[in-house]
Amino acid sequence: MDDVFKLADDLGPLKVIHVHEPGIGLKGVLVIDNVARGPSVGGVRMAADVTTEECARLARAMTFKNAAAGLPHGGGKAVLVGDPKMPKVQKEILIRGFCCALRNEEQYIFAPDMGTNETCMAWIKDEIDRVVGVPRELGGIPLDEIGATGFGLSHAVDVAQDFCDFDLKGARFVIQGFGAVGKHAARFLCAAGAIAVAVSDSAGTIYNPDGLDVDALIALKSAGKSVTEYGAGEKRDGDAIIDIECDIWIPAARPDVIHEGNVNRLNAKMVAQGANIPITYAAEKILHQKGILNLPDFIANAGGVICAATEYQGASEAAAFAAIEEKLRRNTREVLETAQREQILPRDAALAMARRRVEQAMSHRRWHIF
Ligand code: NAD
């Protein structure tokens, strides 16, 4: 097990909990990073290769994301070891077992993430009730089904085009990862007049310089197939998505996919981070030096958690969309203007803004009096 204390600093993490239930093959981790702004919200990720360190880094990203979005929530994250495509009955046992083991961790509210969805959240609601992103029939706002994060991302990109030399109408975009974030980002960007030239999933990349039919790709995924089975395009391997020339490159899958070793292969004017922590800081610096505009993850992909917080307050889907649009547009502009004015990386501008908000909240907490 990796040493999580090497990641600890003045903000957190508050708690790191390992869950192990050999009887059902359950191995998971919960990291509650910081709760100064309120109970933590963050998704439950299921993947075969998740680690405690990844969980802690994602929990910190949630602390900043929730603070940047002005939500009354701290940051947390949970990871569950396993293939998300395992038989449904086995997945249900693991998810139910995991949330039951964490029943008393009241400072963490479950939400969907990679490898989990509204159905998984329904199982959690059935067991412990402390969850957002549940299906409509249970009174929730199904944030993945409505594409809350992709919607927000499209607004962030729309604002960011003012800081780049291209027009969103006719802009060519590429998306790595065609799941809840990627496919809806594609849908909303196409509605704004942009053109998808390549997308990928875990089976590979599909590319067509004349444009891909996003609705047809979504239909393929809904049928349980890969985007590579789309007929009218050139099939390439998964890694090839990095090289494809475009205006907007969107990572919407795994962490650390762009690093010092491959960042120079990117051939784009803007990178809009749909995934959490998809690009290392060293690679972001290189992007900045090359004049490629980079929208940091916790600013650009906050749509999902804004939707979750709206659901938690009992408000409507329409209120969620309005809050996402307003917050994403305001934050993106504030971060990019600060970055431009102070000649710093957009991430540094975003981090300073979020950290300031967390520290202000922490100053009111009891442990800061002593
Ligand atoms: P998802 O499970 O719905 O989709 C993930 C997609 O990525 C799938 O199409 C999968 O095939 C693909 N994929 C996996 N490994 C890949 C690889 N190596 N190369 C290319 N594609 C690969 O997950 P999601 O909810 O869309 O989340 C994607 C990312 O966005 C994660 O980093 C997640 O933390 C982040 N995120 C999600 C939300 C949300 O609302 N769902 C909000 C903010 C951030």
Side-chain angles (χ1 to χ4, degrees), residues 209-239:
D210 296 327
L212 300 163
D213 178 344
V214 165
D215 289 337
L217 291 168
I218 292 174
L220 270 178
K221 292 301 280 185
S222 304
K225 296 182 179 166
S226 162
V227 292
T228 56
E229 292 176 59
Y230 175 83
E234 189 189 316
K235 192 176 161 180
R236 297 187 179 176
D237 68 28
D239 188 56

Side-chain angles (χ1 to χ4, degrees), residues 317-337:
E317 191 171 314
F321 274 118
I324 293 167
E325 181 172 341
E326 190 267 323
K327 285 174 185 289
L328 265 285
R329 296 191 79 86
R330 182 161 40 86
N331 275 346
T332 303
R333 188 163 296 284
E334 183 177 331
V335 163
L336 295 182
E337 280 177 356

Side-chain angles (χ1 to χ4, degrees), residues 45 65 113-115 143-144 149 176-181 200-202 221 252-254 274-276 301 304:
R45 172 168 300 192
K65 190 187 302 190
D113 189 57
M114 256 180 102
L143 62 92
D144 279 344
T149 302
Q176 181 193 51
F178 207 65
V181 175
S200 71
D201 59 21
S202 47
K221 292 301 280 185
R254 302 286 290 134
N276 288 316
N301 71 19

